[in-house]
């Protein structure tokens, strides 16, 4: 058991999507800015083994780590705010916990005992938390419990963390509850009651929160704080306001101002040291006072739920920080574009992104957008499926390959320019079986890719089953499509670009997963810079 690690547990009340992930990430940011080593963990109470098979409409983006885990999007917040690179150990679900316990039972490891929720499931949960603490060597581990207190699925996890307080001691554990302040009636009267009920539900599970984070539309008055303190049994100084904000990167600074970090340090008896927030503050002030703006279209098929493309919108924001401009996003549903007039759709944007995705719906709209970007010399960034669509578009409209396609969408196409990867042919299970995680890629020396990265060998994260069909390489190259990034053994095309274009780059990987506000990703910085030039030229 890792006794030296301190544990902060973050739970949520009243509604889901209340901002537990950003709270966890912001607490992490405040602690790393004081020099502590922090490791975050997200526990998801659903039964799926991981997020890999879930629909982006329901779950938002599937975030991929270097080691190829398909995880919850909160891991993206953690990596971006805390500046760490996480692994498959940083996210687990009810499904994976039960799966492991049942496998142990089948191996006879419980020696004839009846296998039960307590202690076997709770022991499995605790052992994973302790193991990550031990392996990471973190001073502080922040554990976010997904879902909402009161859900049927959360009690095994709240029970495990309740036991942990007994095991590692009060001075080594802290319970932070993020809850909603409601506004009702024609005057938008402030109501603390839902939060009181949610804390009551938490206390029925044996957990008294130490700190309350109150998500609210407007400022909390002293009276509200007094009331919350009294009814929730939390000292008034530990009732913290988390007001809605357009700029999520500001949240660690607003928590800092309210003394949240000092409170945590005091409660966990951590050594007191002053924070270094200079770099973060500069980044936030660049975001708040940009020197101009650019408009970029994202042509996708889950555009009703911005969370489906979360890392892309954040990476574009980071590209904006690098160029000192605000990036405005115009969401274009690719289905609609199929029927519509592309000139109307794109008349007010100066850059086009086609993101990743699966299945045929919306593909023709994406191809239409790419043709528009190529022919009208609009800066273009294609990501994973976006690269595959760019290859299809080029094949159809430059090489004249009628009905060229990916065999994902048309298995009988006469020109399968995107084909199934060799090792994918035998795969039957859907979960965890794609080409996943970080792989090296070699860049061509005089390419845009090389200019942006400034290095020859890069490493980026992948999540796909299909690839560029090598049989057509020569025909593409001879017509002006450059294969600017290849796997080190030259077998896989990882990046393409078009020379006769101001900035047309597409990647088989997902660079968006590695962009951070303090280290904007070079491709996103380069793309936004090209968009800015295009905006100024217009
Ligand atoms: N559907 C494509 C593939 O499996 C692209 C995947 C993606 O965009 N992540 O290869």
């Amino acid at each position: 058991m890792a006794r030296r690690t301190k544990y902060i547990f973050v739970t949520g009340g009243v509604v889901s999507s209340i901002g537990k992930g950003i709270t966890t990430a912001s607490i992490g940011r405040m602690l790393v800015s004081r020099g502590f080593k922090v490791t975050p963990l997200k526990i998801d109470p659903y039964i799926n083994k991981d997020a890999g098979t879930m629909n982006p409409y329901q779950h938002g983006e599937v975030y991929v780590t270097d080691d190829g885990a398909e995880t919850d999007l909160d891991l993206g917040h953690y990596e971006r705010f805390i500046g760490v690179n996480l692994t498959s150990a940083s996210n687990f679900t009810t499904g994976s916990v039960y799966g492991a316990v049942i496998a142990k039972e089948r191996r006879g490891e419980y020696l004839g005992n009846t296998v039960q929720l307590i202690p076997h499931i709770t022991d499995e949960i605790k052992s994973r938390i302790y193991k990550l603490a031990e392996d990471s060597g973190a001073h502080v581990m922040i554990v976010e419990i997904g879902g909402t207190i009161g859900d049927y699925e959360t009690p095994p996890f709240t029970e495990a963390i309740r036991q942990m307080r007994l095991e590692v001691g009060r001075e080594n554990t802290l319970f932070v509850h993020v809850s909603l302040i409601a506004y009702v009636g024609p005057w938008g009267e402030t109501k603390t009651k839902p939060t009181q009920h949610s804390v009551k539900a938490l206390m029925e599970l044996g957990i008294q929160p130490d700190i309350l984070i109150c998500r609210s539309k407007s400022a909390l008055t002293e009276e509200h704080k007094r009331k919350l303190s009294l009814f929730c049994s939390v000292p008034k100084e530990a009732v913290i306001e988390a007001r809605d904000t357009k700029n999520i990167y500001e949240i660690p600074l607003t928590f800092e101002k309210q003394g949240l970090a000092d409170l945590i340090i005091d409660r966990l008896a951590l050594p007191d040291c002053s924070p270094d927030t200079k770099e973060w503050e500069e980044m936030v002030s660049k975001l708040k006072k940009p020197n101009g703006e650019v408009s970029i279209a994202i042509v996708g098929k889950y555009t009703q739920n911005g969370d489906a493309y979360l890392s892309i919108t954040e990476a574009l924001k980071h590209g904006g920080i690098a160029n000192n401009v605000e990036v405005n996003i115009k969401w274009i549903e690719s289905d609609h574009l199929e029927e519509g007039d592309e000139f109307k759709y794109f008349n007010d944007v100066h850059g086009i992104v086609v993101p990743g995705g699966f299945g045929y719906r919306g593909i023709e709209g994406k191809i239409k957008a790419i043709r528009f970007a190529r022919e009208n010399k609009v800066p273009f960034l294609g990501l994973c499926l976006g690269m595959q669509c760019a290859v299809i578009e080029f094949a159809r409209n430059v090489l004249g390959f009628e009905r060229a396609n990916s065999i994902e969408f048309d298995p009988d196409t006469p020109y399968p320019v995107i084909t199934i990867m060799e090792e994918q042919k035998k795969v039957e299970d859907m979960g965890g079986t794609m080409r996943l995680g970080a792989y090296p890629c070699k860049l061509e020396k005089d390419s845009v890719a090389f200019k942006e990265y400034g290095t020859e060998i890069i490493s980026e994260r992948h999540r796909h089953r299909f690839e560029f069909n090598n049989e057509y390489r020569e025909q593409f190259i001879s017509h002006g499509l450059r294969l600017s990034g290849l796997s080190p053994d030259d077998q896989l095309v990882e990046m393409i670009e078009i020379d006769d274009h101001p900035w047309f780059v597409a990647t088989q990987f997902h660079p968006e997963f590695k962009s951070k506000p303090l280290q904007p990703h070079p491709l996103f910085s380069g793309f936004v810079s090209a968009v800015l030039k295009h905006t100024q030229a217009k």
Side-chain angles (χ1 to χ4, degrees):
M1 187 186 308
R3 282 227 168 246
R4 64 202 174 93
T5 302
K6 310 269 182 178
Y7 299 90
I8 301 175
F9 299 105
V10 179
T11 53
V14 187
V15 290
S16 57
S17 307
I18 193 160
K20 298 186 298 294
I22 306 258
T23 300
T24 302
S26 298
I27 292 175
R29 178 75 236 163
M30 293 190 295
L31 293 171
V32 290
S33 74
R34 284 168 169 77
F36 295 112
K37 185 163 194 269
V38 175
T39 197
L41 166 67
K42 174 77 192 283
I43 298 178
D44 283 305
Y46 48 72
I47 314 286
N48 305 59
K49 192 162 175 243
D50 59 36
T53 56
M54 290 166 90
N55 183 329
Y57 263 130
Q58 282 185 29
H59 184 263
E61 150 189 288
V62 175
Y63 189 79
V64 180
T65 54
D66 274 339
D67 68 345
E70 297 175 279
T71 72
D72 186 75
L73 55 75
D74 279 323
L75 269 76
H77 290 310
Y78 306 162
E79 288 200 349
R80 290 186 283 267
F81 277 68
I82 305 173
V84 282
N85 272 355
L86 302 174
T87 69
S88 58
S90 315
N91 184 201
F92 65 81
T93 70
T94 294
S96 75
V97 170
Y98 273 78
V101 169
I102 292 168
K104 270 190 206 162
E105 184 273 333
R106 292 289 83 183
R107 290 195 297 269
E109 288 182 26
Y110 294 111
L111 308 174
N113 280 311
T114 309
V115 181
Q116 294 182 297
L117 183 65
I118 303 172
H120 302 100
I121 294 292
T122 45
D123 280 355
E124 175 69 25
I125 295 167
K126 287 187 294 179
S127 75
R128 289 180 183 208
I129 299 176
Y130 288 136
K131 181 163 188 327
L132 179 58
E134 187 86 52
D135 293 348
S136 67
H139 301 115
V140 183
M141 180 163 172
I142 316 176
V143 182
E144 176 189 346
I145 314 278
T148 308
I149 295 304
D151 288 348
Y152 283 115
E153 289 163 336
T154 32
F157 300 106
T158 44
E159 172 57 17
I161 63 175
R162 185 195 68 77
Q163 292 174 15
M164 279 185 67
R165 172 162 271 189
L166 277 179
E167 289 172 13
V168 299
R170 187 166 279 274
E171 69 289 1
N172 294 318
T173 49
L174 195 70
F175 294 122
V176 175
H177 190 55
V178 187
S179 187
L180 183 77
I181 301 301
Y183 297 86
V184 296
W187 311 111
E189 213 180 315
T190 308
K191 295 290 181 192
T192 60
K193 190 82 80 190
T195 293
Q196 295 175 35
H197 278 296
S198 144
V199 169
K200 199 168 152 206
L202 194 55
M203 285 164 79
E204 279 166 11
L205 296 165
I207 294 174
Q208 162 66 57
D210 300 299
I211 293 174
L212 260 189
I213 308 276
C214 303
R215 177 77 187 269
S216 64
K217 259 199 323 228
S218 42
L220 282 187
T221 62
E222 285 306 303
E223 177 54 17
H224 296 138
K225 287 192 182 174
R226 191 196 59 76
K227 210 164 166 186
L228 283 162
S229 160
L230 179 69
F231 286 104
C232 301
S233 213
V234 171
K236 194 157 149 259
E237 72 275 11
V239 178
I240 306 288
E241 172 190 297
R243 238 194 296 166
D244 293 355
T245 164
K246 196 177 145 219
N247 179 2
I248 54 170
Y249 297 120
E250 216 176 328
I251 296 173
L253 301 175
T254 57
F255 282 167
E256 191 72 66
K257 265 194 215 127
Q258 295 180 70
L260 177 58
D262 295 332
L263 196 68
I264 291 172
I265 283 168
D266 179 55
R267 294 297 162 80
L268 288 176
L270 284 162
D272 198 3
C273 43
S274 55
D276 180 1
T277 54
K278 193 165 161 268
E279 222 189 336
W280 197 266
E281 276 174 38
E282 280 169 9
M283 178 272 291
V284 168
S285 83
K286 273 196 190 171
L287 264 178
K288 286 172 83 177
K289 288 193 217 84
N291 222 343
E293 55 182 327
V294 294
S295 289
I296 294 175
I298 299 183
V299 184
K301 69 170 180 182
Y302 311 110
T303 56
Q304 308 305 315
N305 176 0
D307 272 0
Y309 301 115
L310 186 64
S311 291
I312 300 176
T313 52
E314 290 309 305
L316 287 171
K317 215 187 269 179
H318 307 159
I321 296 171
N323 289 281
N324 237 324
V325 291
E326 180 175 358
V327 174
N328 298 313
I329 289 170
K330 177 173 180 178
W331 294 101
I332 297 182
E333 185 66 31
S334 47
D335 270 352
H336 301 170
L337 184 62
E338 261 165 49
E339 305 302 324
D341 172 359
E342 61 272 36
F343 285 89
K344 269 200 193 133
Y345 274 98
F346 295 124
N347 72 353
D348 52 354
V349 299
H350 298 113
I352 297 175
V353 175
V354 173
F358 297 84
Y360 182 59
R361 185 175 75 77
I363 292 298
E364 297 302 329
K366 292 178 182 175
I367 292 174
K368 194 169 172 181
I370 296 167
R371 180 175 195 168
F372 180 89
R374 183 177 56 77
E375 293 183 342
N376 295 285
K377 309 251 187 269
V378 177
F380 168 75
L381 176 61
L383 304 167
C384 203
L385 179 68
M387 180 187 109
Q388 298 177 356
C389 288
V391 170
I392 298 168
E393 191 281 320
F394 199 90
R396 288 186 190 172
N397 302 317
V398 179
L399 303 183
F401 290 177
E402 219 176 297
R403 277 189 55 217
N405 218 327
S406 161
I407 65 162
E408 180 181 4
F409 315 128
D410 178 5
D412 303 319
T413 169
Y415 299 104
V417 289
I418 301 294
T419 188
I420 183 109
M421 303 182 74
E422 201 46 47
E423 71 262 27
Q424 287 291 325
K425 287 184 180 158
K426 341 175 248 305
V427 167
E428 283 177 9
D429 277 359
M430 292 297 278
T433 55
M434 280 186 256
R435 179 174 181 237
L436 290 166
Y439 286 92
C441 166
K442 193 177 60 178
L443 303 179
E444 208 174 88
K445 274 273 173 61
D446 58 347
S447 61
V448 173
F450 181 79
K451 182 185 137 264
E452 302 297 6
Y453 279 96
T455 171
E456 202 182 343
I457 301 290
I458 57 165
S459 168
E460 293 283 6
R461 301 178 190 173
H462 295 68
R463 182 173 185 248
H464 63 119
R465 287 189 206 284
F466 297 87
E467 61 163 328
F468 183 100
N469 188 342
N470 289 333
E471 280 180 30
Y472 296 100
R473 274 193 193 189
E474 286 316 317
Q475 290 164 80
F476 278 100
I477 295 171
S478 62
H479 284 77
L481 190 93
R482 187 196 278 255
L483 312 181
S484 52
L486 297 177
S487 56
D489 62 0
D490 287 336
Q491 291 309 300
L492 300 171
V493 174
E494 305 280 33
M495 283 185 91
I496 59 160
E497 56 195 61
I498 294 177
D499 285 335
D500 181 25
H501 191 286
W503 209 97
F504 188 107
V505 176
T507 64
Q508 185 56 76
F509 47 79
H510 291 273
E512 68 272 22
F513 293 141
K514 286 182 70 172
S515 189
K516 298 186 169 76
L518 295 184
Q519 291 131 10
H521 190 286
L523 279 187
F524 284 87
S525 307
F527 173 60
V528 173
S529 159
V531 177
L532 183 60
K533 280 195 199 108
H534 190 62
T535 310
Q536 286 158 350
K538 278 268 155 147

